[in-house]
């Protein structure tokens, strides 16, 4: 790699190189996955915030894209009030995070320039729990890097739709979102959101936005009515048209036992592990507004979401909760699933330390569908 590095925001001219970097540098762990962004990386970036910059790092002769990172801003609920927050994501480097110190520090200097021109005090990011190399590097506090402070773990459940749909409870009526005013769904999301940290502040305007909610229509919402009100809701958000998850491989240990696990998977009601190169036909169960003691709603809505997903040839749905959210245990007990555990970090430079110190003990609920 040339010692001459340049850092800049992505443009339409450099966007194809960004997609190639994301495709060719999968996330590592027990399961290696590439999070791809065909046909345009900006389509996926647009759902993550109302403001964003995709930072690119170039080096070498001839000039080559060697790293990327995204900075996003959006409104969430913090300590019960609406407040803008940032999110760091799409962090990739050729060869993973074995990148040189100069590359890493230069990338964060560019991110700090974006930060100083922006409107947030601190950021969130999530890192797969067993990606120990990345976590050690980011927590090391090198040079001008921001502080990475682990906050809590979050579990993403991948539920096979065929198995999940079996849990539908006929005693609880499920309605589609287009049967009710979208404003009533937005009101329920706002009521639920104030109880959590980092829950996006979804308004009716944002829910109708082709940029922020690309591919999500009112009829994709599923809800439990309560008279004229909404008791609970979630949405089936199919993002395959602009975000793809591809299995690129497995750790040596898991790779050796994968054939055996797939033989016994139906017997122990576990999902099969796909072959390397397979695209996961998956969607998110997003925009969850369910009381923590309303097990009946959660089971019925997840089952209904699985049923709707099957009609779209979706094999898996993903839903996420913080580890200490009681709803996580309901999914774990009631549904066959594979679990991915991530660490939620708050990330901040010196000017954000005060805001981070004021965070109260509400359960985090960032929206995994936009991370």
């Amino acid at each position: 790699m040339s010692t001459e590095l340049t850092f800049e925001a992505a443009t339409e001219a450099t966007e194809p190189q960004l997609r190639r970097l994301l495709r060719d540098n999968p996330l590592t762990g027990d399961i290696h996955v590439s999070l791809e962004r065909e046909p345009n990386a900006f389509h996926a970036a647009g759902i993550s915030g109302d403001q964003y910059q995709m930072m690119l790092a170039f080096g070498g002769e001839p000039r080559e894209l060697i790293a990327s990172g995204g900075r996003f801003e959006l409104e969430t609920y913090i300590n019960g009030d609406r407040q803008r927050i940032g999110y760091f994501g799409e962090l990739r480097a050729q060869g993973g995070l074995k990148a040189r110190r100069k590359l890493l520090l230069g990338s964060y200097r560019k991110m700090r320039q974006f930060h100083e021109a922006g409107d947030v005090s601190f950021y969130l990011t999530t890192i797969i729990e067993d990606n120990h190399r990345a976590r050690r590097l980011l927590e090391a506090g090198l040079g001008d890097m921001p502080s990475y402070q682990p906050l809590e773990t979050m579990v993403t459940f991948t539920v096979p739709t065929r198995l999940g749909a079996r849990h539908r409870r006929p005693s609880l009526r499920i309605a589609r979102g287009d049967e009710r005013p979208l404003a009533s769904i937005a009101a329920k999301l706002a009521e639920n959101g104030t109880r959590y940290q980092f829950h996006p502040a979804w308004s009716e305007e944002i829910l109708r936005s082709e940029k922020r909610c690309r591919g999500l229509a009112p009829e994709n919402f599923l809800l439990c009515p309560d008279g004229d009100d909404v008791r609970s809701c979630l949405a089936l958000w199919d993002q395959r048209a602009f975000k793809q998850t591809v299995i690129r491989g497995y750790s040596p240990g898991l790779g050796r036992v994968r054939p055996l696990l797939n033989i016994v998977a139906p017997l122990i009601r576990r999902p099969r592990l796909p072959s390397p190169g397979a695209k996961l036909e998956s969607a998110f169960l997003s925009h969850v507004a369910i009381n923590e003691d309303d097990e009946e709603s959660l089971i019925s809505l997840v089952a209904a979401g699985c049923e709707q997903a099957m009609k779209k040839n979706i094999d898996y749905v993903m839903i996420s909760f913080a580890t200490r959210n009681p709803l996580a245990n309901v999914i774990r007990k009631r549904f066959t699933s594979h679990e991915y555990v991530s660490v939620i970090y708050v990330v901040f430079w010196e000017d954000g330390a005060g805001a981070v110190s004021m965070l109260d003990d509400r359960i985090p609920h960032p929206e995994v569908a936009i991370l």
Side-chain angles (χ1 to χ4, degrees):
M1 183 193 304
S2 168
T3 57
E4 194 64 36
L5 300 175
T6 59
F7 301 89
E8 60 192 62
T11 66
E12 290 292 350
T14 54
E15 181 275 335
Q17 296 175 69
L18 172 58
R19 277 186 285 122
R20 184 168 61 250
L21 182 77
L22 295 174
R23 181 178 64 245
D24 294 345
N25 291 275
L27 300 175
T28 59
D30 287 337
I31 303 176
H32 309 326
V33 297
S34 58
L35 305 179
E36 302 182 14
R37 300 295 183 258
E38 303 295 339
N40 188 314
F42 293 142
H43 292 173
I47 71 171
S48 296
D50 49 54
Q51 299 289 332
Y52 66 87
Q53 297 87 26
M54 301 300 294
M55 185 279 303
L56 306 181
F58 291 91
E61 292 293 341
R63 185 173 118 119
E64 179 185 11
L65 178 62
I66 56 177
S68 71
R71 174 191 174 276
F72 309 88
E73 292 187 13
L74 71 159
E75 281 204 339
T76 68
Y77 292 101
I78 297 178
N79 298 344
D81 298 319
R82 290 171 69 108
Q83 183 177 323
R84 290 185 71 77
I85 194 173
Y87 172 70
F88 282 143
E90 310 289 2
L91 181 62
R92 300 289 186 279
Q94 284 192 5
L97 282 177
K98 292 183 288 187
R100 295 180 180 179
R101 177 188 177 104
K102 183 176 180 180
L103 170 61
L104 189 66
L105 297 183
S107 298
Y108 277 100
R109 289 191 196 102
K110 188 64 177 181
M111 284 295 195
R112 184 159 191 171
Q113 292 177 18
F114 294 145
H115 166 73
E116 291 173 348
D119 191 29
V120 299
S121 299
F122 65 94
Y123 300 81
L124 292 184
T125 198
T126 59
I127 304 174
I128 295 174
E129 186 180 47
D130 63 9
N131 192 349
H132 302 294
R133 177 182 294 165
R135 292 179 58 200
R136 283 195 300 268
L137 183 60
L138 295 173
E139 292 177 21
L142 302 175
D144 297 327
M145 283 181 59
S147 297
Y148 273 74
Q149 180 176 306
L151 185 67
E152 193 151 347
T153 56
M154 178 173 71
V155 186
T156 299
F157 299 93
T158 301
V159 180
T161 55
R162 181 177 56 83
L163 298 178
R166 297 175 180 175
H167 292 269
R168 182 73 178 270
R169 295 190 172 187
S171 60
L172 193 62
R173 188 171 84 84
I174 303 297
R176 292 199 330 176
D178 54 356
E179 298 175 26
R180 292 293 178 92
L182 193 59
S184 65
I185 296 175
K188 181 62 181 180
L189 289 168
E191 173 194 325
N192 187 76
T194 58
R195 301 202 300 266
Y196 295 97
Q197 293 289 34
F198 320 130
H199 190 293
W202 300 112
S203 65
E204 182 179 0
E205 179 183 6
I206 294 175
L207 294 179
R208 294 189 185 278
S209 169
E210 293 183 4
K211 178 181 177 183
R212 289 292 309 283
C213 289
R214 180 181 294 272
L216 184 66
E219 60 265 25
N220 300 135
F221 280 87
L222 298 167
L223 55 91
C224 296
D226 183 15
D228 292 332
D229 297 325
V230 176
R231 168 178 165 178
S232 53
C233 68
L234 54 72
L236 175 66
W237 196 353
D238 182 4
Q239 301 177 354
R240 292 176 295 172
F242 55 93
K243 291 174 68 175
Q244 303 83 32
T245 301
V246 181
I247 302 296
R248 294 299 179 188
Y250 296 90
S251 65
L254 185 57
R256 284 192 296 270
V257 301
R258 185 179 70 86
L260 177 60
L261 291 176
N262 284 344
I263 291 173
V264 301
L267 302 177
I268 61 175
R269 299 178 63 83
R270 306 299 295 178
R272 295 177 183 271
L273 297 173
S275 300
K279 183 185 297 184
L280 287 184
E281 299 297 339
S282 61
F284 292 97
L285 296 180
S286 63
H287 297 76
V288 176
I290 301 173
N291 291 340
E292 292 168 12
D293 61 352
D294 192 357
E295 181 174 328
E296 183 180 36
S297 279
L298 177 63
I299 294 171
S300 294
L301 287 170
V302 170
C306 288
E307 188 176 286
Q308 292 299 312
M310 288 176 63
K311 296 176 182 178
K312 298 175 179 287
N313 295 316
I314 295 169
D315 298 325
Y316 301 93
V317 294
M318 293 177 286
I319 187 168
S320 292
F321 296 104
T323 302
R324 65 185 170 107
N325 189 325
L327 297 179
N329 284 329
V330 176
I331 297 292
R332 182 176 290 115
K333 290 188 299 183
R334 296 288 185 169
F335 291 90
T336 298
S337 67
H338 186 85
E339 298 182 21
Y340 297 87
V341 181
S342 301
V343 180
I344 303 171
Y345 286 83
V346 286
V347 185
F348 56 95
W349 282 280
E350 298 85 358
D351 59 352
V356 169
S357 71
M358 297 297 290
L359 292 173
D360 66 27
D361 196 41
R362 292 169 209 243
I363 296 174
H365 191 81
E367 177 54 77
V368 70
I370 65 176
L371 299 184

